[in-house]
Amino acid sequence: MQEHSDLMRGLGRTIAFVPTMGFLHEGHLSLIRKGRELGDNLIVSIFVNPAQFSPGEDFESYPRNLDRDFELAQKEGADVIFIPDGKELYPRNFQTYIELEKLPNHLCGISRPTFLKGVATVVTKLFNLVKPHIAVFGEKDYQQLIVIRRMVRDLNFEINIVGVPTLREPDGLAMSSRNSYLTPEQRINALCIYKSLKKAQELLEGGVNDAASIINAASGLIKSNEGTNIDYISICDPETLADMETINRPALMALAVKMGETRLIDNMILNPE
Ligand code: PAF
């Protein structure tokens, strides 16, 4: 991988990189298309990273379909599909991790304490292997995106991080590989996640700018759907992720909801303007 990238860099090519955990859906394909648009050489990685799953999470059962992923990534114009081996990325006695001090103390970082450390570590390793000029990430996992932006600034990576808006199913559910876990009934009820974000936006447009009231309304809407279990609903500063009481400037509304065993996330920027 490194030899390929050195060669491309030597030829003056711009390397665009899209890291994924595979089981590609339209959301991933929009990232790959963005990468294709921005780089001369497009590298897509597929690796289900064990370091970002805690014991008891879905590492083993995470959906995988390498053949299909390969075909899809190739069709979207990937020049290289990089599928590293777990034992090569994490050899015996591996012991170096990247951890951020503050951003993980919010949102998903609270209920998934190893998630962001695992992401920051694998993304650093992939950056060192792929040597991209540009790397593309989805805005659906907003916290992951800003953790990576922060890490790139803090550690002086010469990589331009590009965020791509969340792609949604026609009814509004954010696309996710984990949607494949949902039963037909859960799939219908999961729509309450997007509806709660829309409701928040409507309340704000109607003059309600107090975060607690909006969170209350969103929570009520979600709880009225059977089989839902709210992990968190937060209205916070889009850069620091610190809670906001009043929405008097753009705020991030982010939430995680369990539908049975399946944990789904979504977010939206609420803008009082
Ligand atoms: O968003 C993902 O798919 C993963 O967290 C990533 C960035 C590929 C790291 O494993």
Side-chain angles (χ1 to χ4, degrees), residues 102-263:
K102 294 182 191 149
L103 286 174
N105 300 333
H106 304 275
L107 313 183
C108 292
I110 297 172
S111 49
R112 303 189 67 197
T114 53
F115 168 59
L116 292 158
K117 176 179 166 185
V119 166
T121 303
V122 82
V123 168
T124 299
K125 287 172 68 66
L126 291 169
F127 282 173
N128 284 332
L129 293 167
V130 172
K131 307 187 185 190
H133 297 91
I134 298 161
V136 186
F137 294 85
E139 288 175 359
K140 192 186 73 122
D141 201 327
Y142 186 95
Q143 188 176 22
Q144 166 173 282
L145 175 61
I146 64 166
V147 157
I148 290 164
R149 283 196 204 284
R150 183 75 260 158
M151 176 184 92
V152 161
R153 269 186 232 129
D154 290 351
L155 300 182
N156 309 98
F157 283 103
E158 281 186 287
I159 302 173
N160 179 13
I161 303 299
V162 176
V164 173
T166 304
L167 239 68
R168 299 183 178 281
E169 300 290 350
D171 63 1
L173 181 70
M175 288 188 184
S176 163
S177 304
R178 291 191 169 99
N179 290 349
S180 65
Y181 296 147
L182 300 172
T183 64
E185 195 189 346
Q186 286 173 336
R187 170 64 186 79
I188 293 168
N189 290 339
L191 199 53
C192 68
I193 300 171
Y194 179 61
K195 281 187 181 158
S196 72
L197 291 169
K198 296 290 284 178
K199 169 111 192 152
Q201 197 177 39
E202 273 165 33
L203 285 170
L204 185 65
E205 280 165 13
V208 182
N209 69 356
D210 148 53
S213 307
I214 293 183
I215 290 175
N216 229 346
S219 157
L221 193 154
I222 292 169
K223 284 180 183 156
S224 69
N225 286 268
E226 218 168 288
T228 55
N229 192 354
I230 298 171
D231 178 1
Y232 68 81
I233 304 180
S234 171
I235 294 183
C236 58
D237 181 283
E239 271 183 42
T240 64
L241 306 182
D243 283 340
M244 282 171 63
E245 282 180 13
T246 309
I247 308 173
N248 47 14
R249 57 193 160 87
L252 172 76
M253 177 159 170
L255 71 170
V257 177
K258 276 187 102 174
M259 307 293 309
E261 288 304 302
T262 305
R263 186 174 173 284

